Amino acid sequence: AANARAVLRDRGGLCSFSPCIEQVQKTCAALREQGFSSISTVEVLLRTWERQHVTLDLPRFDLADVSGSRALGPHAIARQRKRRERGEEGEAEDMEAEARQTTTTLRPRDSERGHTSFLTFARRGLR
C-alpha cells in the first residue's frame, strides 16, 4: 500500500487482486493506514458457461385443429401425423411442413464448483 501511495496521483485509483479473504483483510488495513479512501471489495466467482445447439419443435399457428378454434402445437401435429399413418382422416397433409428451429443456448455448467477470489478498490487520499 505504501508503494501504491507513492506512485499514484491524488485521488488515483487502485485495484488489488486477492485469492483469499484473509489477504483482503490485510490489504484493507494497510490501505486505511496509508490514507486511502472509498475502499470496497467485491467477490469474483468463476463459472464456466457451455454452449449447446438445440432443435425445437415450434407450434404451427398457421394450422388449426379440426374445429378451427385453436392453433396446433407440436404434440397435436404428431398426433395428426400418426392418424395419417394409420389411414385415419384429418388434416395430416398439412403436417408435412412441421416447424423446427435450431438455436444456440448458453447456460452455466451444472456440475462445476466455482472458485472464488476478491477484487479490492480504493482511492489515494490527498497529499
Side-chain angles (χ1 to χ4, degrees):
N3 290 336
R5 180 169 173 70
V7 297
L8 287 174
R9 295 180 181 173
D10 289 346
R11 304 298 298 153
L14 170 80
C15 177
S16 170
F17 172 83
S18 302
C20 61
I21 194 65
E22 293 81 9
Q23 187 175 346
V24 171
Q25 292 169 328
K26 291 177 185 177
T27 300
C28 290
L31 290 170
R32 280 191 293 277
E33 286 176 14
Q34 292 297 319
F36 280 79
S37 63
S38 303
I39 300 170
S40 65
T41 300
V42 295
E43 182 177 18
V44 179
L45 180 65
L46 176 65
R47 283 196 312 180
T48 304
W49 286 65
E50 49 187 36
R51 182 181 67 190
Q52 296 175 331
H53 297 288
V54 180
T55 301
L56 305 170
D57 290 326
L58 301 176
R60 290 289 309 270
F61 294 107
D62 58 323
L63 302 174
D65 65 2
V66 179
S67 67
S69 62
R70 61 189 165 125
L72 293 178
H75 299 294
I77 292 170
R79 280 195 305 274
Q80 287 202 4
R81 185 182 303 117
K82 286 179 184 177
R83 278 192 218 130
R84 180 188 63 206
E85 290 168 359
R86 291 190 308 250
E88 297 176 16
E89 289 189 29
E91 297 179 7
E93 310 83 44
D94 295 332
M95 300 300 120
E96 292 300 322
E98 179 178 344
R100 293 181 68 78
Q101 178 180 356
T102 300
T103 187
T104 301
T105 62
L106 292 172
R107 51 175 272 178
R109 195 174 285 169
D110 288 335
S111 60
E112 185 176 349
R113 294 176 192 247
H115 182 276
T116 192
S117 58
F118 302 90
L119 292 176
T120 299
F121 302 92
R123 290 269 175 208
R124 181 190 185 280
L126 301 174
R127 293 180 193 236

